[in-house]
Amino acid sequence: MDKILEAVVMSSYPNNVKQGLVRRVIEASKQPMDSEQCWSMLELCTKLYLVGDTKYKREIGKEVLEVYGHYHPEEFEEFFNVRFLLSLLQEGYGPLGKRSHYVLDYIQLGLQFVLESPSANSIFSLLRIEVLRKVCERPGPKQCAKISKLLSQHPQCIPTGKHQVLFCQQLIRCIGQFQCVSEGEEDIMEFLEHVNKVSGLLQRIWRTQTSAILPSLKELFTIISSTEEQEAPSNALASVVQFVPLELMDGVIRNLTNDDSISDVQMMMAIGRMIDWVSWPLGKNIDKWIIALLKGLAAVKKFSILIEVTLSKIEKVFSKLLYPIVREGALSVLQYMLLSFQHSHEAFHLLLPHIPRLVASLKKEDSNSATSSLEQLAELIHCMFFRFSGFPDLYEPVLEAIKALPIPNEDRIKHLLGQNAWTSQKNELACFYPRLASKSETGKIGLINLGNTCYMNSIIQSLFMASDFRHSVLNLTEGNSQPLMTKLQWLFAFLEHSQRPAISPESFLSASWPPWFTPGAQQDCSEYLKYLLDRLHEEEKTGKRIYQKLKESSLMSQAVEHHYLNKTLIEKMFGGKMMTKIRCLKCLNVSSREEAFTDLSLAFPPPDRHIHGPGSASVLPVEEIGPQFIEPPENPNQVMGSPWVRRKPHVPGDLPAQPVPVETLGFQEPGEPSDPLSRDAVGAESTKDPILASGEQASAPKDSRSVPDLINYFLSPERLTAENKYHCEKCASLQDAEKVAELTEGPHYLILTLLRFSFDPRTMKRKKILDNVSIPVVLKLPVLVSSEENEDVWRHRKGQGSPGSSFVSVVYDLCSVVVHSGISSESGHYYCYSRECTDAVPHGQPRDGAPKPASDKQLDFEIQWYLFNDTRVSFSSFESVSNVTSFFPKDTAYVLFYRQRPGTQSCPLHEAAAEAGHLHGEPSLNKDLMEAISKDNILYLQEQEKEARNRAAYISALPKSPLWWRDFDRDKDDDSSSGGCSPAAGGGGSGSFHGLVF
């Protein structure tokens, strides 16, 4: 029968004729026959299957073999023996030089018919050894796929014990050499299919034997970190990583990045090749492993590796965004690489020429993937614009390309930059690196104390957090002829962009040092602030004006423009005006003098002067926080307002006709008349917010002072008598008189100094007043406006008030509190609480009236507070600000910064001033300054890396605590073996981890 079949197959008959004859032979084969005939047929079919020169011959051989396996099992088992299989596997089949490629397929075909036979175990044992030998010969992807298919279908043939680990390692070695020789689509798909079968086998083994995972990863790292390979390992290795359980990631990365036996060159080679894996189309979680390793390297301060790898690979990663199949992973890696590379603009600028083309391509693609990627890319680009400003010529084409895409807000940008910076990555081994400080999780930067310089540090941080002032300073142009302001600009720029956790203000200290200060001694921060602002003001007056562009502005009239241009930045931001009036009590003549101020020094009332008393005063409605107009009274002695609100009583010796009321928490009934005397009243904005209410009440006992109390005392009439008599020009003699102060122009930033230090004549020393003072988060200040200004504001408010009114309430939000801790101005410590008040919410408010309720978002209770204490910066809250003196009696608020709320100004000049910090959008630093910051950031990264290397001894002494590797240090079957962790295991050779805890 075998001769008949062979003659039919070899004949020149048409295939349909051959097929009919073959069917007859197959039907005859199902009948009983002698053993010799069976062997002859099995030998012929084996020959057809293994060396048939056409697909038709191989199919006939396969079909007949399956028939004999089913109908003649005993003869098939006798034929398909161990010796025959060993010969096939080791010597091959067919003439020398033309060995069959179908041996593994043949074995897989025959195995299904001998699974229950007595010889099955012998065959399995043979195959376990032979498949290991096969993979050690480094077969190509097609043969490896056949091995994987065989072992997946017959897992009894998978090597066990030590051989299983070695098999996985050698299979990974094979994958590392896989190459797709053709660029045809069908060939590429076939190649990917082969790789998936091989990596799928590894996954199957790892699921059942987790002990094989870490030695396999060790071999993988050995391959990708090798510096001796002439040809780069295949990107197909990415298919291996996708099957590693993510719960092992932290431990693997931690041990990998802290292994001293891995050189920088090896690590750089490894991470560079991993980044190349983003082009692998079917990998999952590849981006997570790449980012985890980058973060791990940042945590141990290996910045030189990160810089080199980022600059060499970022363009390649960016190019992969063109391909939808790998776009998601490539974008994740790109986002981290750019957001973490914050010390220099170099990486971002490498991408600038490519961005417009990519954006155009993604828009043309018009898919969900492209749309999502465009939005994420635009967010990333805006983060880079924010971080590296000052290159309008380079950024213009990019800005044009993404102009139609959403723009993230500043908080989102700062959050992304803060959480991804290299210096923000936490290292679990940080306790062994006492000098390796990480940047605060707040994203803010501290100031180094240079020896009792906390008074300066707290003032600088408060000025820095005054965002309008900061923007204006950072926007200064080069050559402004203001050396001190330029030094402040540099200091602010480093506080904004440095990667250091804290910077030294030594240069600014030496330039701004008051000559009468004693070096190394504690000083009064209020005194320093006054001197600093005065120096900056005088310097600008004699130097170059910094807002020349406002001349072309159409926001203000020529008269106001002229007035505004004559103002310095300090006047615009911190300058206010006050009218002092003195009335002679004899002739009733009134003399007045207007003075400028940059801060209000608030004295404490004498102990015998009570703040609270019977009666009541009006409260401006909670819903209205804009300018309010207070009508003059018909009856000055009439008591009006909410019964909850108390007023200061008449004090003998003070002006009897004008008691000063105080606005506190409470409500005014609709239609209730305003208090006639509240032109001098200062109030804390009432609110429904429970946080504010509890915060104020906690720090304001019944007899405690409040900031409105101190301002009211400051504005209340003063009797000039006895030794303080006033020389009246009209009377030409000394006379009793009354003196009163009225605010005529509210500053953009209101600085209040609580005069806690007074001279004690008995001890001849300055003592500190430790009284607790409650601080309102929102403050109303009465400002006297001229009739013309009042008319303008009245029209602006559309009838809210009266055009004949003289006073408006200007609303201020608390933004900084400088605290003095101690009992003397010559000793103690300063720190400050700050938050960044901006116009982001109020600018969205309609300008045509109808202000929002005071409890709405514009009060900005959710704005984050920070605590600046020299080098330490931490998150805080208004509750902490309010309660600090309650918990620490020697820690008292000393200098307060309030920012005027937009829409409440009494003069158009101030509305222009409010916009001054935002005229040019986000500040663009000059290139010299940006270059200096970049150089310092690189220097800092180098310092940190050097320090980390010097302390490598700490790591080697660490206990090996992770439980998941404990069983992998040695082989369970042979305690004397080198185990999976030794350099010899798995053919690791000289490129192995050398003691890496896997």
Side-chain angles (χ1 to χ4, degrees), residues 192 195-197 199-200 203 206 217 220 236-246 277 280-287 289:
L192 293 176
V195 174
N196 274 352
K197 285 181 180 178
S199 58
Q203 181 190 23
W206 291 347
L217 290 182
L220 174 64
L237 288 170
S239 64
V240 175
V241 176
Q242 65 179 328
F243 295 123
V244 180
L246 292 179
W277 292 351
W280 184 252
L282 302 176
K284 297 178 181 177
N285 300 327
I286 305 300
D287 56 323
W289 282 93

Side-chain angles (χ1 to χ4, degrees), residues 56-71:
Y56 175 72
K57 292 178 181 179
R58 292 194 298 275
E59 288 178 349
I60 290 175
K62 177 184 177 183
E63 192 172 359
V64 176
L65 281 171
E66 288 175 339
V67 169
Y68 276 82
H70 278 296
Y71 291 94

Side-chain angles (χ1 to χ4, degrees), residues 583-586 720-722 725-726 734-738:
R583 182 177 63 175
C584 174
L585 294 182
K586 181 178 181 181
L720 303 178
T721 186
K725 283 188 176 183
Y726 165 68
L734 293 174
Q735 299 293 337
D736 288 348
E738 291 168 343

Side-chain angles (χ1 to χ4, degrees), residues 35-221:
S35 176
E36 185 178 348
Q37 183 65 43
C38 284
W39 270 73
S40 298
M41 285 294 290
L42 287 170
E43 285 178 346
L44 174 61
C45 294
T46 298
K47 178 181 177 181
L48 291 173
Y49 188 86
L50 291 176
V51 295
D53 55 359
T54 65
K55 185 178 181 181
Y56 175 72
K57 292 178 181 179
R58 292 194 298 275
E59 288 178 349
I60 290 175
K62 177 184 177 183
E63 192 172 359
V64 176
L65 281 171
E66 288 175 339
V67 169
Y68 276 82
H70 278 296
Y71 291 94
H72 307 283
E74 293 180 2
E75 288 77 7
F76 188 90
E77 181 184 339
E78 186 180 354
F79 177 83
F80 200 78
N81 58 66
V82 172
R83 182 175 297 178
F84 173 59
L85 296 180
L86 181 61
S87 173
L88 282 178
L89 289 166
Q90 292 190 354
E91 299 174 12
Y93 191 93
L96 192 63
K98 292 186 179 180
R99 298 300 189 188
S100 173
H101 298 295
Y102 299 99
V103 171
L104 292 171
D105 304 88
Y106 176 81
I107 292 174
Q108 183 178 344
L109 174 66
L111 271 179
Q112 59 184 312
F113 302 112
V114 298
L115 294 176
E116 304 299 330
S117 69
S119 63
N121 287 333
S122 299
I123 294 175
F124 295 153
S125 297
L126 170 69
L127 290 176
R128 282 194 286 267
I129 296 172
E130 284 302 305
V131 294
L132 177 58
R133 184 184 62 79
K134 278 284 185 184
V135 297
C136 288
E137 293 175 355
R138 303 286 184 268
K142 194 169 186 177
Q143 287 300 307
C144 283
K146 289 181 177 182
I147 294 174
S148 301
K149 184 179 179 182
L150 172 64
L151 299 185
S152 296
Q153 190 168 341
H154 301 289
Q156 308 96 319
C157 303
I158 296 175
T160 57
K162 292 184 298 183
H163 291 158
Q164 186 177 83
V165 172
L166 184 59
F167 175 78
C168 291
Q169 291 175 323
Q170 295 303 320
L171 198 58
I172 290 173
R173 286 266 172 190
C174 291
I175 297 174
Q177 295 185 359
F178 284 178
Q179 297 296 334
C180 185
V181 294
S182 172
E183 294 184 0
E185 185 175 344
E186 290 185 4
D187 293 330
I188 292 175
M189 294 304 296
E190 184 182 38
F191 175 75
L192 293 176
E193 185 180 354
H194 292 156
V195 174
N196 274 352
K197 285 181 180 178
V198 179
S199 58
L201 174 63
L202 285 171
Q203 181 190 23
R204 183 188 183 103
I205 295 174
W206 291 347
R207 279 178 178 172
T208 55
Q209 294 294 329
T210 55
S211 59
I213 297 177
L214 297 173
S216 300
L217 290 182
K218 170 189 170 183
E219 193 70 21
L220 174 64
F221 187 83

Side-chain angles (χ1 to χ4, degrees), residues 466-470 472 564 567 569-577 597-598 745-751 781 810-813 815 837-839 843 897-905 907 909-918:
S467 55
D468 299 331
F469 178 64
R470 180 179 75 244
S472 296
Y564 183 64
K567 285 195 164 213
L569 176 60
I570 299 304
E571 287 176 307
K572 295 169 195 171
M573 291 295 163
F574 305 103
K577 289 186 178 179
F597 67 89
T598 54
E745 187 177 303
H748 187 60
Y749 281 100
L750 173 67
I751 301 176
L781 200 66
V810 179
V811 181
Y812 284 88
D813 295 301
C815 52
C837 295
T838 64
D839 294 348
H843 276 333
F897 287 73
Y898 281 88
R899 180 182 184 272
Q900 188 175 128
R901 188 174 292 181
T904 66
Q905 280 290 2
C907 176
L909 171 63
H910 289 283
E911 294 190 5
E915 300 291 335
H918 305 281

Side-chain angles (χ1 to χ4, degrees), residues 445-449 453-455 457-458 461 501-502 829-831 868-873:
I445 296 173
L447 289 168
I448 296 171
N449 192 317
T453 58
C454 54
Y455 67 90
N457 290 348
S458 57
Q461 294 285 20
H829 179 61
Y830 288 99
Y831 56 90
F868 294 90
N869 195 339
D870 288 336
T871 56
R872 184 173 181 270
V873 187

